[in-house]
Amino acid sequence: MPNRYRAAKALIISISATCGLALAIYKYNTDIIAKSAHKQQDDLLSKRISVYKQQETQLFDSVFRHIALPQTVQEAESILSRVKRLRPSDRLDNNEIRRQSEKVFQKDINVESMSLLTNGGINVLSTNLSLISQYQPLENTATLIDPLISKDFSLTFLMDALSRHPSLSVVLPIRNKVDKRIGYYGLKLKPSAIYRSIRGAEGIAVLSPPETVNAVSYTSANDITEIYKPNSALPYRPMKSLAIINGFNHVNGPHLYLDHRKRPVVGAYAMVKSANMVVLVEREQRILFKREVERLRQVLLIGLLASFAFFTILIRQERSNASQGESA
Amino acid sequence: VRYAACLASAVFALALQGCGITKIDFVAPVSSTKQELVVWWAEGYYPEETDAIQLVSKKWENLTGKKIKIEFLSENELNQRTIEILQGSPKPDLLYGYGVGDSIAPTLAYQGYLVDSSDVVRDYASDYIPGIIESVTFSNKRLNKRSIYAVPISANFLYIHYWKDLLDEANPTTASIDIPQSWGDFWGFWGSNQARLEKAGFSKTKALALPMSHAAPDTNDVFSYFLEAHGARILDQSGKLLIDEGSQRQKIINALKDYTDLYKKGWVPAHATHWSNADNNINFLSSLSLLTVNPTLSIPGSQLADSVTYEQRIKTISWPKGINNQPIKPTISVKQILIFDTGRAVDSKSFTRFLLQRSNLAQFNEGSQGRYLPVFKTILSDPFWSNPRDTHIQTAKKMLSSFRLPYQVINPAYTVVVQENIWGQAIEDICTKNVPVATAADDAIKTISKIFKEWDN
C-alpha cells in the first residue's frame, strides 16, 4: 500500500474512534440524565394530577350535596313548573333574579356561572344573565353527570364559538322526592382554575431546570388544544405530538420525543380521564443535556486536533522517508 | 480506506440512533369479514332509536345464525360516504340515513347501485300509507325502467313551530289570538308581533327563524314550500324541466322575493345567512325568534321531557294556504333503507323484512320520539301516535293525508340541485350581496338547466 494511503487510513480510524468514543460517552451520560429527569417529572406529574383530582372531587361532592338538599329541590321545582319563564327581555328584574339565584345556587364556589335548566336544556335561571333562556343541547354541548348512574364521569371541553376559548359545561340532574328528574343544575367551569390547579399547585417544588406543564384536551372531534392560555391574546391552535397521542390512547410511550413544537424534550404525560385531558410535564433536551453537549464538543475537538496532529506527523515522516529513498 | 469510511459511518449512525426519536403510529382501519352483513346506519338523535335497531339486529342474528355489523355514523359522515360510493368507494350491504333519500338515493338507483326492493315492499303494500311507495319508485338508467329501489320506514315534512307564551307576551290584552291562514297575512302577522314584542321589552327576539344560507340544506327545503305556495312548478309529471317557461320564471321570482323580503324587512335574525341546519333550532329554542320552520319534529321533540314547554309553550301549526288560497301540498321526505348490489341481497332483504315486522318497526318508530312519522297505517294508529294532547304529532299526522313527491323522485337530476343547494345560493346572494331577485332567479334557472343538460348527456 502506498504511504499516503496509510496516513489517510490512520486519520480516518483515529477520527472514527474519537467520534465513536465521544458519542458513546454522550449517549451513556444523557441516558442516565434523561432517566433521572423523567423520574422527577413523573413524580411531579402524579402530584399535580392528584391535586387536581382532589379539587375536582371537592367541587362535585359539594354540588351533589347541594342539589340533594330539600330546599334546593323545592325552589328549583317551583321555578321550573312555571309556564311563564324568564326571557331575554330588556326588562329583566335583576333584583328578582338575584333573589331567586340566592335560593337555588351555591355560594362560595369557584365556577364561571351556575344555571338552572329545564329537562329540555333551556336555562331558566342563571348567575350569568346572558344565559337566561338560552338553549343548551344536553347531549351535544355539555356533559351530563348523573350521580345515580355513575360517578365515573368524563368532562368534555368545547371551543366556545363566541369567546374562542375552550369551555367546559356540566349539567347534573336534580331529582325530587319521588326520584323524578325535574331539571338540571348547570355549571360552567373555569378552565383557568383547572389550569392553575395543575400548573401552580401550592407546596409542589419546581424542578431544576424548570419544567413546562401543559394540559390539553379535545375541543372538537379532531382538534386538541391547550385548555387555557394565560395570555388571552394568543389563539388556541390545534396541537399534536407523540406524547399527546399516546396520552389520549393510554399508551406508555418513550420519554424522549419531539414536543408539539418539534423540539426534542424529556417528557412525562398522563391522561386525566375525568376531564378528558392529557397533562404533560416536559423539559427541553437542549437545556437538560447542555453540559453533556459541551463535553461532547470538547472531546470531539481535542480528539480531532490530536488526529490531525498525528496525521501531519505521519505525512511528514512519510515525506522524509520518501526523500531519503530518492537521495539513496 | 473504504472499509474505514464505512466503519466511521456506522459509528455515527449508531450514535445518532441513540437519540431515539420514535415515529407516530397510526391505527389502520379494521375491515369487516365477508361473513357479516355490513350495515351503515344513521346515528339516532335519541338513544332509543339506536337501541331499537341494535335490539332488532340481535334478534335477527339469533333467529338466522348470521352476523350483522352495524356501523353507526353521523349524518354528515353518512352522506359523505354515500356520495363517495358514486365515485367508486366501498359500499355497505345495507344503508339507512335521514338525508340520503332526498339527496342521493334516486341517483344511486339511476346508476344501478341499488337492488330492486319491490318484493320486500309489496309484502307490506297494503299497510303503507298511500303515496309512500311512489316516493321510493326511482328510474334505473341501465334497465330503462322505474321500480321500487328503497324500503320506506318513516317520513317527515316541514313543520311550523311558534312560542305560544311569547306570542301572549306580545298581546297581553288579547284573550284569543287568531293566526291568519292566508299566505301574505300569515307572514305579516309574525312581523307585526315582532314589533309588539319589542315594545314589551323583547328587543332581541325576531319574528322568524328562517335559514337564508347556502350552507344550510334546510334553506332549500323551506323554499320549496314557498315555491309551492306561489304555484311554481319546476318539473312536470314526466320529469321535464319547466323553469324555462315564462310563467314559471315569474312565479319563481315572486317566491324568491317573498322569501327574501322577510329577511330584508328585519324579521329574520341577521346571521341567518350563515346558518347551518342546527342554527334555527338553537335560535328558536333560545327564544330569539317567535316562529321557526323545521324538517322533523326535533324542536318539540327536544322538549319532550319538559311537559310545560312541550305541551303549553311550543305549538306546531299547519302551513297557511298558498297565494291562490288553496292548501299547500307539503313535500314528503321519506326515510328509507337502501340495499346495495353487493351479492348479499338475500340477507339484506331478510334483515329488512325482519325490521318491517310490525312490533320491530313500531319500536324503532317510537324510538324517534315523534321526530319521524311511521309510514304503516297500523303503527300510526298506535296510542303513541294518537294522543290528542300531543298537538305536535297530531298536526304532523294530518300532513300525511295529502302530500306531493319531491322533484328528485320524478327526475334524479334534481338531486344535484338539492346537493348543490342552488336555491339556497340564490337566497344568500339576494340577502348578502344585494343581487336583484330577477338576476338571482335567472342565475338559478340557468344553473339548474345546465345540471339537467349535463345529466342527460
Side-chain angles (χ1 to χ4, degrees):
Chain A
M1 184 186 283
N3 288 340
R4 60 179 188 279
Y5 288 141
R6 208 174 294 152
K9 187 181 169 186
L11 176 67
I12 290 169
I13 291 172
S14 170
I15 290 173
S16 300
T18 307
C19 292
L21 189 66
L23 287 168
I25 293 169
Y26 173 81
K27 171 128 180 40
Y28 177 77
N29 288 344
T30 52
D31 270 355
I32 291 173
I33 293 168
K35 273 182 192 153
S36 150
H38 177 250
K39 168 102 185 43
Q40 287 177 330
Q41 288 167 229
D42 212 27
D43 291 345
L44 187 82
L45 177 73
S46 302
K47 284 180 193 164
R48 290 194 186 279
I49 289 177
S50 149
V51 170
Y52 165 74
K53 294 282 288 175
Q54 213 176 337
Q55 291 185 3
E56 184 191 87
T57 308
Q58 276 171 6
L59 172 74
F60 284 104
D61 279 351
S62 87
V63 176
F64 288 140
R65 271 197 306 274
H66 179 75
I67 59 175
L69 290 173
Q71 60 267 38
T72 308
V73 176
Q74 196 184 343
E75 283 300 327
E77 204 158 22
S78 145
I79 295 168
L80 288 162
S81 60
R82 289 177 204 158
V83 176
K84 190 166 176 174
R85 288 178 180 166
L86 294 173
R87 299 275 192 187
S89 164
D90 311 336
R91 297 175 190 171
L92 279 179
D93 183 347
N94 290 352
N95 290 333
E96 175 59 15
I97 291 168
R98 203 171 299 121
R99 195 185 58 75
Q100 288 185 18
S101 297
E102 278 170 9
K103 286 183 180 172
V104 178
F105 300 129
Q106 285 164 277
K107 296 164 192 76
D108 306 324
I109 181 172
N110 188 23
V111 291
E112 255 174 46
S113 66
M114 286 170 282
S115 303
L116 180 65
L117 292 95
T118 65
N119 277 331
I122 295 174
N123 288 276
V124 288
L125 186 67
S126 178
T127 53
N128 177 353
L129 293 190
S130 69
L131 286 180
I132 288 177
S133 92
Q134 288 285 307
Y135 172 60
Q136 183 174 344
L138 295 173
E139 283 172 26
N140 300 329
T141 64
T143 306
L144 167 64
I145 300 171
D146 192 335
L148 284 188
I149 299 168
S150 168
K151 270 198 171 188
D152 185 19
F153 52 79
S154 291
L155 307 175
T156 308
F157 283 88
L158 278 166
M159 192 59 83
D160 188 285
L162 290 176
S163 67
R164 296 265 157 219
H165 294 161
S167 106
L168 193 63
S169 298
V170 179
V171 289
L172 305 123
I174 306 174
R175 293 177 194 278
N176 64 11
K177 274 187 224 158
V178 291
D179 207 23
K180 189 185 167 201
R181 191 187 65 215
I182 56 167
Y184 294 92
Y185 193 80
L187 297 170
K188 204 155 188 186
L189 303 184
K190 283 183 176 171
S192 60
I194 297 172
Y195 171 85
R196 284 192 192 105
S197 75
I198 282 167
R199 273 191 72 121
E202 282 173 22
I204 299 175
V206 175
L207 300 175
S208 173
E211 73 282 2
T212 312
V213 183
N214 236 326
V216 298
S217 183
Y218 276 96
T219 48
S220 70
N222 300 312
D223 289 340
I224 300 167
T225 191
E226 291 108 326
I227 60 159
Y228 178 74
K229 275 179 189 285
N231 183 351
S232 58
L234 293 173
Y236 288 84
R237 295 219 166 87
M239 293 167 67
K240 200 173 185 181
S241 74
L242 177 73
I244 293 173
I245 293 168
N246 282 344
F248 280 110
N249 291 322
H250 302 278
V251 172
N252 288 321
H255 55 272
L256 294 169
Y257 56 84
L258 297 179
D259 72 0
H260 65 281
R261 290 181 190 160
K262 306 286 173 218
R263 294 177 307 196
V265 292
V266 174
Y269 47 85
M271 165 97 168
V272 184
K273 192 175 160 272
S274 61
N276 264 324
M277 165 176 83
V278 166
V279 181
L280 306 125
V281 177
E282 292 169 334
R283 284 189 285 180
E284 272 193 75
Q285 291 180 22
R286 184 176 58 84
I287 298 165
L288 275 173
F289 303 157
K290 197 175 174 186
R291 266 177 61 190
E292 292 313 305
V293 171
E294 282 297 318
R295 195 172 294 165
L296 176 68
R297 275 192 197 138
Q298 283 167 7
V299 172
L300 283 175
L301 187 67
I302 292 165
L304 288 172
L305 285 174
S307 299
F308 277 109
F310 179 57
F311 177 69
T312 314
I313 292 165
L314 271 181
I315 291 286
R316 279 192 181 165
Q317 201 179 17
E318 279 166 9
R319 275 186 190 156
S320 127
N321 289 346
S323 63
Q324 277 175 12
E326 278 170 17
S327 57
Chain B
V1 175
R2 208 178 302 134
Y3 292 132
C6 285
L7 174 70
S9 308
V11 168
F12 271 108
L14 278 170
L16 290 174
Q17 198 268 342
C19 289
I21 305 301
T22 42
K23 67 180 192 303
I24 298 168
D25 290 321
F26 294 97
V27 180
V30 181
S31 60
S32 69
T33 66
K34 249 343 232 176
Q35 304 304 314
E36 300 166 321
L37 191 67
V38 178
V39 175
W40 293 353
W41 203 271
E43 197 174 6
Y45 191 79
Y46 303 107
E48 288 85 350
E49 274 175 288
T50 311
D51 292 349
I53 197 65
Q54 273 175 331
L55 187 70
V56 169
S57 66
K58 282 259 167 358
K59 286 200 280 188
W60 183 78
E61 280 182 336
N62 292 340
L63 196 75
T64 61
K66 292 180 176 165
K67 288 277 161 208
I68 186 162
K69 185 188 167 199
I70 303 186
E71 204 175 338
F72 290 100
L73 300 166
S74 70
E75 188 59 6
N76 284 347
E77 193 180 354
L78 189 70
N79 279 347
Q80 189 54 40
R81 282 211 205 173
T82 314
I83 290 169
E84 282 167 7
I85 292 172
L86 292 166
Q87 292 146 11
S89 291
K91 55 195 173 190
D93 297 311
L94 190 145
L95 182 151
Y96 172 78
Y98 302 120
V100 282
D102 294 334
S103 58
I104 314 162
T107 309
L108 288 167
Y110 188 72
Q111 297 195 5
Y113 285 89
L114 302 180
V115 168
D116 191 321
S117 300
S118 310
D119 50 342
V120 179
V121 173
R122 295 270 177 241
D123 288 350
Y124 298 88
S126 61
D127 207 1
Y128 273 117
I129 288 159
I132 294 291
I133 296 176
E134 287 74 8
S135 71
V136 289
T137 305
F138 305 134
S139 302
N140 182 316
K141 186 186 182 187
R142 195 165 50 86
L143 302 174
N144 196 24
K145 66 162 189 174
R146 280 180 77 82
S147 191
I148 299 166
Y149 281 103
V151 182
I153 58 173
S154 60
N156 67 277
F157 298 95
L158 223 62
Y159 309 110
I160 298 178
H161 313 293
Y162 76 95
W163 284 110
K164 186 187 177 296
D165 58 335
L166 203 50
L167 189 62
D168 291 341
E169 296 261 16
N171 302 275
T173 55
T174 315
S176 166
I177 303 163
D178 288 328
I179 300 169
Q181 279 306 295
S182 67
W183 185 259
D185 292 348
F186 177 83
W187 299 105
F189 169 81
W190 301 104
S192 62
N193 274 290
Q194 178 181 317
R196 287 197 192 98
L197 274 174
E198 199 172 345
K199 276 185 198 159
F202 300 96
S203 59
K204 289 178 192 156
T205 305
K206 295 283 181 184
L208 309 162
L210 297 177
M212 296 281 161
S213 72
H214 172 242
D218 280 5
T219 311
N220 173 77
D221 296 345
V222 181
F223 183 63
S224 72
Y225 280 62
F226 274 66
L227 285 171
E228 182 70 16
H230 282 265
R233 292 278 171 273
I234 308 297
L235 305 177
D236 67 12
Q237 281 309 305
S238 69
K240 186 179 162 268
L241 207 55
L242 299 175
I243 52 177
D244 287 331
E245 291 174 11
S247 63
Q248 295 306 327
R249 177 184 171 272
Q250 191 52 51
K251 285 174 185 170
I252 290 168
I253 291 172
N254 294 346
L256 269 175
K257 184 170 182 328
D258 194 10
Y259 191 70
T260 51
D261 272 357
L262 302 174
Y263 180 84
K264 294 199 167 179
K265 283 176 185 166
W267 295 351
V268 177
H271 51 287
T273 49
H274 305 294
W275 276 357
S276 67
N277 268 358
D279 290 317
N280 69 312
N281 298 42
I282 293 168
N283 181 278
F284 175 78
L285 287 168
S286 298
S287 295
L288 295 170
S289 47
L290 193 50
L291 173 146
T292 194
V293 176
N294 203 46
T296 82
L297 287 176
S298 63
I299 287 179
S302 72
Q303 302 303 307
L304 201 58
D306 174 19
S307 59
V308 174
T309 302
Y310 188 81
E311 289 170 13
Q312 299 180 58
R313 301 174 72 221
I314 295 179
K315 294 287 169 190
T316 301
I317 47 170
S318 306
W319 278 81
K321 289 175 180 163
I323 54 158
N324 55 4
N325 222 23
Q326 292 298 308
I328 292 175
K329 267 196 171 184
T331 312
I332 195 162
S333 172
V334 169
K335 309 301 140 193
Q336 48 205 267
I337 290 177
L338 308 179
I339 298 172
F340 286 84
D341 62 337
T342 53
R344 296 180 62 85
V346 174
D347 287 345
S348 296
K349 286 183 177 179
S350 157
F351 175 73
T352 307
R353 278 195 174 92
F354 188 68
L355 172 64
L356 290 182
Q357 285 181 11
R358 199 194 175 287
S359 60
N360 290 335
L361 191 57
Q363 192 177 359
F364 178 74
N365 286 154
E366 279 186 31
S368 77
Q369 313 271 306
R371 196 166 170 240
Y372 297 108
L373 297 167
V375 286
F376 279 3
K377 287 180 266 186
T378 50
I379 297 178
L380 209 57
S381 61
D382 283 351
F384 181 89
W385 305 99
S386 309
N387 176 6
R389 285 185 64 193
D390 194 329
T391 55
H392 308 291
I393 288 179
Q394 297 318 309
T395 307
K397 258 175 83 174
K398 276 184 207 156
M399 296 169 88
L400 276 170
S401 60
S402 174
F403 55 83
R404 74 168 186 85
L405 299 181
Y407 286 124
Q408 52 271 33
V409 174
I410 302 165
N411 188 331
Y414 203 76
T415 53
V416 183
V417 179
V418 175
Q419 278 168 27
E420 294 185 8
N421 203 353
I422 304 298
W423 297 118
Q425 186 64 64
I427 288 161
E428 190 180 312
D429 286 349
I430 295 166
C431 296
T432 58
K433 296 178 188 163
N434 277 325
V435 172
V437 175
T439 310
D442 287 338
D443 286 349
I445 289 169
K446 213 161 96 184
T447 311
I448 293 169
S449 302
K450 193 170 164 234
I451 288 168
F452 273 68
K453 261 181 208 150
E454 284 171 2
W455 184 270
D456 289 337
N457 296 329

